[in-house]
Amino acid sequence: MTLADLAGTSEIIICCGSGGVGKTTTAAVLAMQAARTGRRAVVVTIDPARRLADALGLDGIGNTPKAIAGDWPGELSAVMLDTKSTFDAIVTTYAGSPEQAERILANRFYRNISGALSGTQEYMAMEKLYELQADDAFDVVVVDTPPTRHALDFIDASRRLTNFLDHRLYRVLTAPTRGVMKAVNKAAQAFIRAVSKVVGSDVFDDAVAFFGAFEGMEQGFRQRAERVLELLSDPRTAFVLVASPRRDTVQEAHFFAAKLGENDIPVRALIVNRMHPRFTDRLPEAHRERAATLAGTELGALYANLADFALVAAREEQHLEGLADQVAPAPVVRVPFLPTDVHDLDGLDAIAAHLF
Amino acid sequence: MDAQQFFTASRVAIVAGKGGVGKTTVSAALARAAALSGLSTLIVEVEGKSGLASMFGKAPLAYDQMVLSEAAEGAAEVTARTLTPDDALLEYLHDHGMSRLSKRLMSTGALDVVATAVPGIKDILVLGKVKQIERAAAAGAAGSPDYVVLDAPAAGHAIRFLQSARGLVDAVKVGPINTQASEVLELLTDPARCQVLLVALPEETPVNELVETAFSLEDKVGVSLGPVVVNGLYPEMGGLEADPEAAAEAVGTTLRPGEADDLAAAAQFRRDRSALQRHQLDRLAEQLPLPQLRLPYLFNADLGPADIDTLAAALLEGIDALPRMVPAGARDGGSA
């Protein structure tokens, strides 16, 4: 299946890869292509650096979809994930009563974790994805993932929160409200004392109050987490691995591909951005030799320059060897370094020309 | 500026920047430059990945310290250690007489729950460990490095990482975590002990992000910013305007079929990208009044020990050309 087929048929496209490889731009181009084929596409970015806004030449896209005007038969919208408001919204959804929601939203511990819990961003991205794919206004949701090595944590992100709520320590913490204090053994009490000693008792009290306030909401969270997981392993969802040809980023791409493999999720396409153009078929050494013979002349400089680019192109192909095999039969698409930076729709067009 | 003066102005350098800008490469080159100036240098790596060791031609890092480049011919040694938050937490608990607790934390998976109960605790433990190394070095403890380079996690993450101290001082009012966070904050905000070197590529989006990060770090953390390191600049090369056919005729030679086009296209590409890079350097200088240290793009794309030496030499050259002591603030400091 080609990349164009993916953009034309997938219902969810998830772009993953390490930071700085052009994931956000790639996600925007894929969504734009879907709009070109007449589909209604929405692209979600979770990068707080507002790169997508840059790429689309747009200011002020926010947590709700905003339409982007363009000459396509379909529709294109963009969303910038706001982790905290998304978290607030699901708390409100699953709370048994407005008062329960209120109690959680006002809790200091909640306010801390809703912004900073490791994996919260990934988890909320999945929530947003879930919300948007269920929205009849869109045919395809394209998601950009966080630029960290932990980006793939989104696979376990929803599972993690439910595990967290299920954890024995949580049960211990909430035991007083469950009326099973007797079940708390001595070891657990010692544990609580030790933890309080480290973090301070007011933080600890906040945490206990938080878990208490969550009482009864785990089930809703768990069901939602299961549905998100199903969605990720559905064949209508396509994972696209984005990389650049540098040695270190290729190593990271191997890591991402392996991690997806562990979860039985195939890589459906590999996009390698920022490839240096290949100007010559001859070996760099041949040009280098010629440059040495002609040193000091204009022609010598021209050959030295050609040798530089022949060398980097050869090295980049070397670095990519193996990665294509690892993701086979996924198509591998190379996008050259463009003469200018991408920061508007024309720039996205230029990339689209290489992708489709 | 004298390199010795530069590297002794603050003992800890935190190298920060967005993913893909070459933070780890810059950390390696900076450490090597300090070592070449006679200062034994420790690189602290926090993500448990990084091709750091291979840049020095060595096998991957372990938690324990390892030597990346030996002391020789006036150069001091470069060592490195990986310091992941989990390791730091275990070490912290051990040092505070809670070894048994730490074992239970590991075996039950409660570690994440504890870390979650106090956001930023993992970051503060890593920074706390760096502070401990810095204090030992300042006190002249045996085996302490002269200079410490911290390869920070990728920003926006880096902002959160460095902000954790301030957040925790506010969130946890008493106890060992409060003490730890306060001490880390003192380190971060004291220009005589610590400075942050931001790394960027000479491209539009990375420049925008660097400027944003610089101001956030100053406002929210109060760190002192050192020079900005701009990575990946195509080395200047004259003679690329010439028409290949004419240039060949001038030296009385001929070109293979099609080669004139190859030469011209490659020359055009380099000229265009170089112009773009220069434009971005100017833009960066306009928006952020910090001196710049510039590193060349390496076409062999290999990043082995020889390349790190090339980059270290470029850093030393840049430091030598720095006009005076690095200004303490990005806004009021100037590069003139």
Side-chain angles (χ1 to χ4, degrees), chain A residues 100-330:
Chain A
Q100 185 182 19
E102 200 61 32
R103 243 184 358 258
I104 295 171
L105 298 182
N107 181 279
R108 192 164 54 162
F109 179 74
Y110 168 75
R111 291 210 306 270
N112 283 335
I113 68 159
S114 58
L117 169 60
S118 94
T120 305
Q121 204 182 34
E122 290 80 1
Y123 178 49
M124 290 309 133
M126 288 305 104
E127 278 298 325
K128 200 75 199 173
L129 169 65
Y130 189 82
E131 178 194 317
L132 290 170
Q133 65 82 33
D135 189 333
D136 288 337
F138 304 111
D139 303 319
V140 54
V141 187
V142 185
V143 191
D144 167 33
T145 58
T148 67
R149 183 163 229 244
H150 305 294
L152 281 186
D153 289 356
F154 64 77
I155 294 173
D156 344 280
S158 13
R159 203 167 7 187
R160 182 125 34 96
L161 190 87
T162 50
N163 282 348
F164 180 68
L165 293 174
D166 264 347
H167 199 275
R168 213 173 74 205
L169 184 65
Y170 155 67
R171 301 211 168 274
V172 169
L173 293 175
T174 54
T177 63
R178 288 166 186 240
V180 288
M181 196 59 191
K182 277 177 220 144
V184 180
N185 60 32
K186 271 197 174 143
Q189 287 182 24
F191 184 84
I192 290 175
R193 270 201 306 277
V195 173
S196 309
K197 207 170 89 188
V198 177
V199 302
S201 60
D202 49 344
V203 169
F204 199 73
D205 292 346
D206 283 341
V208 172
F210 167 78
F211 285 115
F214 246 88
E215 178 81 59
M217 282 172 63
E218 309 95 304
Q219 195 55 28
F221 272 89
R222 193 167 303 114
Q223 282 167 0
R224 180 82 162 223
E226 279 160 15
R227 286 201 298 268
V228 169
L229 268 182
E230 277 167 27
L231 208 58
L232 293 182
S233 27
D234 192 289
R236 285 168 296 181
T237 299
F239 279 77
V240 173
L241 183 57
V242 187
S244 79
R246 280 184 6 188
R247 193 161 78 170
D248 51 343
T249 51
V250 170
Q251 274 168 10
E252 289 293 285
H254 277 292
F255 168 84
F256 278 105
K259 183 101 192 245
L260 284 172
E262 282 165 23
N263 288 276
D264 296 320
I265 296 173
V267 172
R268 302 282 287 280
L270 168 64
I271 297 174
V272 187
N273 285 321
R274 305 169 69 91
M275 295 282 295
H276 274 90
R278 192 183 168 89
F279 294 108
T280 168
D281 293 329
R282 298 186 69 206
L283 290 174
E285 293 77 18
H287 295 302
R288 190 69 71 203
E289 218 169 272
R290 195 101 155 96
T293 320
L294 293 161
T297 68
E298 282 182 328
L299 189 60
L302 289 170
Y303 272 109
N305 180 58
L306 189 58
D308 278 349
F309 285 106
L311 178 61
V312 75
R315 284 289 157 84
E316 289 180 348
E317 282 301 334
Q318 272 171 23
H319 295 155
L320 287 174
E321 268 171 29
L323 187 58
D325 294 338
Q326 190 181 359
V327 301

Side-chain angles (χ1 to χ4, degrees), chain A residues 49 51 109 117 167 198-199 246-247 274 276 279 282 290 303 305 308 312 315 319 337-338 341 343, chain B residues 18 20 108 113 116-118 172 177 203-204 209 234 254 256 259 262 266-267 270 273 297 300-302:
Chain A
R51 275 188 232 174
F109 179 74
L117 169 60
H167 199 275
V198 177
V199 302
R246 280 184 6 188
R247 193 161 78 170
R274 305 169 69 91
H276 274 90
F279 294 108
R282 298 186 69 206
R290 195 101 155 96
Y303 272 109
N305 180 58
D308 278 349
V312 75
R315 284 289 157 84
H319 295 155
F337 239 123
L338 299 173
D341 279 353
H343 47 78
Chain B
K18 285 279 170 182
T108 60
V113 181
T116 306
V118 192
V172 186
I177 292 290
E203 293 171 33
E204 174 156 347
E209 289 171 348
Y234 285 165
T254 52
R256 289 162 172 272
E259 203 148 84
D262 297 348
R270 182 147 179 170
R273 281 214 76 87
Y297 180 78
N300 73 15
D302 215 21

Side-chain angles (χ1 to χ4, degrees), chain B residues 40 133 135-138 140-147:
Chain B
S40 65
I133 295 168
R135 285 291 83 187
S144 289
D146 298 320
Y147 192 59

